[in-house]
Amino acid sequence: MNKKELIVQVAIQVFRDQGIEKTKISDIVKAAGIAQGTFYLYFPSKLALMPAIAEVMVEKTLSIVQETVQDNAPFSVKIEQIIDAIFLVTRDYHEIQALIYSGLASTEHLREWETVYAPFYKWISERLEEAREQGIIRESIYCDRTAKLVIGLVESAAEQIYLYDSEQDDQARVQKAEVNEFLIHALGIKF
Amino acid sequence: MNKKELIVQVAIQVFRDQGIEKTKISDIVKAAGIAQGTFYLYFPSKLALMPAIAEVMVEKTLSIVQETVQDNAPFSVKIEQIIDAIFLVTRDYHEIQALIYSGLASTEHLREWETVYAPFYKWISERLEEAREQGIIRESIYCDRTAKLVIGLVESAAEQIYLYDSEQDDQARVQKAEVNEFLIHALGIKF
Amino acid sequence: MNKKELIVQVAIQVFRDQGIEKTKISDIVKAAGIAQGTFYLYFPSKLALMPAIAEVMVEKTLSIVQETVQDNAPFSVKIEQIIDAIFLVTRDYHEIQALIYSGLASTEHLREWETVYAPFYKWISERLEEAREQGIIRESIYCDRTAKLVIGLVESAAEQIYLYDSEQDDQARVQKAEVNEFLIHALGIKF
Amino acid sequence: MNKKELIVQVAIQVFRDQGIEKTKISDIVKAAGIAQGTFYLYFPSKLALMPAIAEVMVEKTLSIVQETVQDNAPFSVKIEQIIDAIFLVTRDYHEIQALIYSGLASTEHLREWETVYAPFYKWISERLEEAREQGIIRESIYCDRTAKLVIGLVESAAEQIYLYDSEQDDQARVQKAEVNEFLIHALGIKF
DNA sequence: GATGAATGAGCGTTCATTCAT
DNA sequence: GATGAATGAACGCTCATTCAT
C-alpha cells in the first residue's frame, strides 16, 4: 500500500482524536504501524504534512458538497444543501479546518494552499455562474470573488457553532437558517 | 509600567515579528527586558497568555472600529467603515487573529474567549439594531446572529487577501467593494 | 564552581577514558554531574568544545614543558628535556592530540587553534633565539619557523610510538634518542 | 569496473568534497551510482572502509613521490623532490591524511594501517640507505627510524601550512625551503 | 549479485519551568 | 518582587544496517 497516503490518512485521524498540538510524530507512526524513520522518507517534518492534509481535506469537503447538492434542484435548494454540507464537514473536522485557515503551518507552504483550495472555489463559482445566466441571482455578482465570500461566510458561521463543541444540533439549525436567509438576500435569489 | 500589561503588549509584538510558533518565552522576556522567572510571577504558563492576548486584541479591534465609524454617518457608510477597519486590523494582525480563531490554544481557555469577543459582537449588533429600528435594513434580521455572520464574513474575506501577503492594496480594494455589495444585499440596506 | 571549565576538564577526562568518537554529550554531563541542558548554556554543540579543549591541552603541554626544562641547563640538555616532555604529554593524551591535529573539529574553529597554539610556538622560538644569540646553534636558523618544525617533528615522532599503545617505554627511549640526534644535527648544536 | 575499488575511489572523492565527518554512506553510494545495500556486499560496515582508503592513499602518495623523485638526481635534490611531493599530496588530501593519523577509526583497524604504511617508510629508508652507503649523509643514521622521522617532519610541516587553507603557495614555498635546510643539517648531507 | 524501501535504536537539542539568591 | 542559572523530560531527526524482492 502507498505509505505516503497512509501517513496522511492516519495523521488526519490522529489529529482529530487528540488534537494537533499534542500530536507527536511518534503518535502518527505508531497509529500507522510504521517505523519512525519511514515517516521521514515521505515528509521532511511534521509541518510538511500540512499541504497534503489540506489537499485531502479540500477533496473530502468538495466531494461531500458534490454528493449533497442535487444537480436538478432549484438554486435556492442548492444553497441550502451547500450550507448543510459545509456545516457537516466543519462539525467533523473543525480542528483541522482551523489549522488550515490559521497561518500556523508556517509561511513556506501557504502558496500551495491557494492551489489546493482552487477546485472548491471553482465548483462554487460555476454554480453561481449557472444561476446568474438563468437570471436567478442578481446580475451584478462577480462569481469568482463571490464564491470565496460565500465559502468564507458559511465556514466561519459553522466554526462559530462548532468551535467549542461538536454537539450543537439546535444551535446549528438556527445558524444555518440565518446563513441561508443572509445568502438569499446577498445573492438576490429570485424564487 | 505594570509588568503584566508589559508582557502582553510585548508578546503581541514579538508574535507579529517572528510568528507565534517560533516564539519562545525567552524571546518575550528578552524583548520585555525582564528576567525569565518574572514571567511566571504573572502567568502560570505560556498558554495562560492567550486569553490576555485575545482580550487586548479584541479591545484593539473594537477601538479601531469605533474610531473609524462615524456616529452620524448613514448606515451604508458605517458598513463601509466597518469593512475598512476590519481589513486594517486583519492586515496588521492576521497571524494573531488566526491564533484566536483556531482551536490552537488548548481547550481550557476557549470558554474565556467567548466572553472576550462578546463586546465586539455586541457593538455590531447594536448598530444593526439601530438600523433596523430606523427601517434602513430588512426587518427579518436577527441582529445578534447577523452581527456574528457579518464579522465572520468580513474577517474571512480579509484573511483571504492578507493570508499570503500584507501588501495587497489593490486586491484589498476590490475585495472590500465586493464585500460591501454583498452586505448591502444581505442586509437589505435601503438608500 | 565555574561550570564551563568543569565541562572542559571533564570532557578531556571522558575523551581519554572512552575515546572521542564514542563519547556522547550525555556521558560528559553525567560525569560532570550536571544536567543535559546545562551543557548547552556554555557550548552550542559537541564540536564547540574543541577549541576550549585545545586551549587547555596547549596550556597543559606548555606548562609540562616549562616545568621539565631547567632554565640553567645547557641548550643540548634543554632539547632532550623538551623531547621528554612532549613524549610524556603525547603518551597521556595522544588521542586528544590526534583530534586537535586532524581537521576533524570542522573548519569553523580551525582559525582559533592558530591563536591557541601560539604560546607554545612562541616559547620554543624564544629558546631557539637565546641559543642562536649565544652561538650555540647554527646562525642560518629562522627561529619562528624552526620552532614549528621542531614541535611538529617531535610530536609526530611521539605519535608514531604511542598511536597504538601507551606502554612503549623501550621503543620510546630509542625514538627519543633518534629524535635527539636528528635535532642536534638539524639545529647544528655545538657542544 | 570492480565495485569494491569503485566504492573506495568514490569515498575518497566524497570525503575530500564534503569532509569526512559529514559524509554518510548514502552520499557515497549516491556518488557511486549503486544501491545502498550494495555497499554492504563489499564492506561489513562504514569503518571497514578505512583500511582500504588508507591503502589507496599510501599507494597514491608513494607513487607521486616515486614519480617526482628522479633516480639519477643527487641525493640533496631527491630530498627537495620528496618534500615537494609530500607537500603536494598533503595539499590535496590533508583531511584524509588527518583521518589516517588520528586514532579516529576505531582501534580494531589501527594494526592494519601499520602494514599499509610500511611501503612508504621502506622506500624512503632505502633512499637513505643508498645515500649512507655512498657517504653522502652522516654515518650515525639509522635509516629505518630516520625515514619515519623525515616523513613525520615533512608531513607535519605541510599540514601546518595547509590545515587552514589549500591556497598557500607563498607560505608553502618558504616552509619547504626551511624544511629542506632543516633536513640538510639533520641528515648531515654533504655536497 | 543487486536493489532500495523500511527499520528503529540512539543521539542531539530544545525550552517551559523551577528555585536559591 | 525580581532574578537568571540550572534543570531534565520530551521530542525531532539521523543514518547505519537489514532483507524481501
Side-chain angles (χ1 to χ4, degrees), chain C residues 47 105-112, chain D residues 22:
Chain C
L47 278 178
S106 114
T107 15
E108 331 157 37
H109 298 113
L110 277 176
R111 297 272 153 217
E112 303 182 38
Chain D
K22 286 174 206 143

Side-chain angles (χ1 to χ4, degrees), chain A residues 45-105:
Chain A
S45 74
K46 192 181 168 185
L47 278 179
L49 260 176
M50 298 314 167
I53 287 181
E55 195 163 356
V56 170
M57 284 309 302
V58 172
E59 278 167 18
K60 204 183 286 263
T61 303
L62 182 51
S63 86
I64 287 176
V65 170
Q66 287 172 335
E67 281 165 26
T68 308
V69 175
Q70 292 165 312
D71 271 5
N72 49 1
F75 183 72
S76 64
V77 173
K78 276 185 181 156
I79 286 292
E80 278 182 63
Q81 291 169 334
I82 288 171
I83 294 170
D84 278 340
I86 292 179
F87 267 67
L88 187 68
V89 174
T90 303
R91 188 192 65 194
D92 292 344
Y93 297 97
H94 64 88
E95 244 218 335
I96 293 168
Q97 295 278 12
L99 174 74
I100 292 175
Y101 272 115
S102 76
L104 242 199

Side-chain angles (χ1 to χ4, degrees), chain B residues 119-142:
Chain B
F120 190 21
Y121 288 144
K122 182 156 167 282
W123 192 87
I124 297 286
S125 181
E126 285 165 0
R127 299 293 79 68
L128 290 173
E129 195 62 49
E130 283 170 16
R132 209 181 61 132
E133 280 168 7
Q134 293 164 27
I136 299 173
I137 59 175
R138 65 180 163 91
E139 253 190 58
S140 54
I141 277 180
Y142 290 94

Side-chain angles (χ1 to χ4, degrees), chain D residues 112-128:
Chain D
E112 302 183 39
W113 288 356
E114 223 167 17
T115 38
V116 149
Y117 242 76
F120 189 23
Y121 288 144
K122 181 156 168 282
W123 190 87
I124 296 287
S125 181
E126 284 166 1
R127 300 293 79 68
L128 289 172

Side-chain angles (χ1 to χ4, degrees), chain A residues 3 35 37-38 42:
Chain A
K3 285 255 165 49
T38 306
Y42 299 99

